[in-house]
Amino acid sequence: MKNKKIISISVLVIAVIVFYTLNKSENNIIQNQQVFAQEVNKQVNNSGDEKMINDNLILLEGGTFMMGSPDSERQRDKDEVLHEVTLNPFYIDPYEVTQKDYQNIMGKNPSHFKGENLPVENVTWYDAIEYCNALSKAKGLTPAYTIEGNTVKWNRNANGYRLLTEAEWEYAARAATRTVFNSLNHITSDNANFEGSYPYLIEENYVNPHNPDVKTSRYRGRTLEVNSLSPNQFGLYNMHGNVSEWCFDYYGEYDTENNHNPFGSQNGSLRVSRGGSYIDFAKHLRAAYRSACNPLSTDRNTGFRIARNAKPINDIIETVYSLNIKIPQNPKILIAYFSYSGNTRNAAEIIKEKTGADIIEIKMKTPYRGRGNIYETSQIDLNNNVYPELTDHVQNMEEYDVILLGYPTWWATMPMPVFSFIKEYDFSGKSVITFSSHGGTMFGESVSDLAKLIPDAYVGLALEFNYSGGRELENRISEWLKLNAINEI
């Protein structure tokens, strides 16, 4: 009887795959996915060959899809190389992990925004995989991960909970579509929780609007409950926005040759997060966008969702944190900052008083001030990749161990003069730690953009403060220095 059931499952799967192949339209693909999930779940559950697990995860069919973005996609990054990927079926949580679920398993709730059904945030990448292991044990499943110092091993034969790979995340987010966002080339706060004041392509429509598709919408300024807004065609909520979601992969160039169930580089220092958050611009919610993050960072806009194998893969993936850069006991420190209105300058001067570090202001030969509307002039430089010429230069950069880099967050990234500064020097083997003033967008994607530019440097845990930082700025700077193992004088 058992053999007959196995044969019937195989016939069913083959039939569904044939049906999938014969129906190429997007609607048919989505409908077939739903049929596949319902029927295979039913057959497997009835067969007695696999442990029944009641966790409300959704089974996705997998298959082959195009990962990355085409050259024609506006505001794409060069690390989004378009390539074919094939995935096994896998289970995925339709929701981001909630604070209630995290509290129940881990006994604590680190989130900034409190609410049982809000997504958990302020969690490191390591917190996320430890939750997966703890949940696996609680459900009687085999944990997927083993942590041994700087090495994390993923047993792909285990049936326990895990993070999505970057490829699985993008497959799930796209839900058989090829548009910039899921089924759309533009997105509003009706579709996602993000900084709706900055829709897709706003940079070229901010001062002189001319594209009717670029529509501003509301900015909520906080996370939403995980079942808010409408799900995508696979029944998954908040794949765009709310919280950015940790993935398993180390950040690096895509391996376009090994494209069957890819898992990223086995060595690195930055882990990937995907989907953007409540505080991000729409361009960072694009299905192809990749954020590179320090796995020890905790941000109120970063959480995760869980997955589980539908089919074991008989191997163990060993990933090693390979950037062994340590801040020495008495480091040589340089404060380098760009300031427009004075907020970043004020912070830089406080940091100098506390550390005794050398300091340099990043100044443009042709300053923005006096060149018209700062929003327009800065976004023109950003859109055209203009690297302004600077007046002053560091003659002895090789002597510094630590660079404390300050700037205002503009257009969700660093101002272009700061990019000019970064491109001028070799930061290999150094620690670069940022502090950023902003008007409500925190870091944007500036820290990720910086990390991608200097892969052989350690990008530390960043400090952000609203406008001048207020009366708490000095205390927050002290906490930030301590967090990064920098002593005050």
Side-chain angles (χ1 to χ4, degrees), residues 317-368:
I317 306 303
E318 182 173 295
T319 64
V320 179
Y321 184 90
S322 58
L323 195 66
N324 295 313
I325 297 172
K326 305 292 184 183
I327 296 177
Q329 187 73 24
N330 296 298
K332 179 82 169 171
I333 302 173
L334 174 67
I335 302 165
Y337 73 93
F338 172 80
S339 188
Y340 182 77
S341 63
N343 292 328
T344 313
R345 178 182 295 108
N346 176 58
E349 291 170 351
I350 294 172
I351 295 167
K352 177 174 173 55
E353 290 177 7
K354 289 180 177 291
T355 62
D358 296 339
I359 191 167
I360 183 173
E361 183 174 1
I362 300 170
K363 295 180 180 178
M364 301 165 60
K365 276 198 171 180
T366 306
Y368 283 127

Side-chain angles (χ1 to χ4, degrees), residues 6 53 59 69 90 106 131 157 168 179 203 249 251 261 276 310 313 340 383 402 415 430 437-438 440 448 469:
I6 292 172
I53 303 167
L59 177 63
S69 61
F90 61 97
M106 304 304 288
Y131 171 86
N157 195 46
E168 289 172 333
T179 42
E203 289 83 354
D249 308 44
Y251 174 79
N261 296 314
I313 302 173
Y340 182 77
N383 287 346
V402 177
K430 301 183 186 300
S437 60
H438 61 86
S448 174

Side-chain angles (χ1 to χ4, degrees), residues 22 75 82 125 137-138 157 172 242 270 321 340 371 402 445:
L22 293 174
Q75 297 188 328
L82 191 65
W125 182 87
K137 291 176 183 177
N157 195 46
N242 214 27
L270 305 166
Y321 184 90
Y340 182 77
R371 288 170 54 190
V402 177
E445 285 293 301

Side-chain angles (χ1 to χ4, degrees), residues 408-462:
T409 301
W410 285 359
W411 300 108
T413 189
M414 299 178 292
M416 289 308 293
V418 181
F419 280 96
S420 297
F421 178 83
I422 293 298
K423 287 174 67 69
E424 191 171 335
Y425 306 102
D426 180 7
F427 292 93
S428 299
K430 301 183 186 300
S431 295
V432 182
I433 309 169
T434 64
F435 59 100
S436 172
S437 60
H438 61 86
T441 57
M442 295 174 61
F443 311 109
E445 285 293 301
S446 64
V447 181
S448 174
D449 291 341
L450 172 66
K452 291 178 182 182
L453 287 174
I454 52 173
D456 296 321
Y458 171 72
V459 177
L461 304 176

Side-chain angles (χ1 to χ4, degrees), residues 57 102 118 183 228 238 249 312 318 456 460 466:
L57 268 61
Y102 193 87
L118 293 176
S183 77
S228 301
N238 293 300
D249 308 44
E318 182 173 295
D456 296 321
N466 193 258

Side-chain angles (χ1 to χ4, degrees), residues 459-479:
V459 177
L461 304 176
L463 169 70
E464 52 79 21
F465 51 94
N466 193 258
Y467 293 113
S468 67
R471 288 179 292 182
E472 292 299 312
L473 182 60
E474 289 201 30
N475 289 337
R476 293 194 61 209
I477 286 174
S478 291
E479 292 170 0

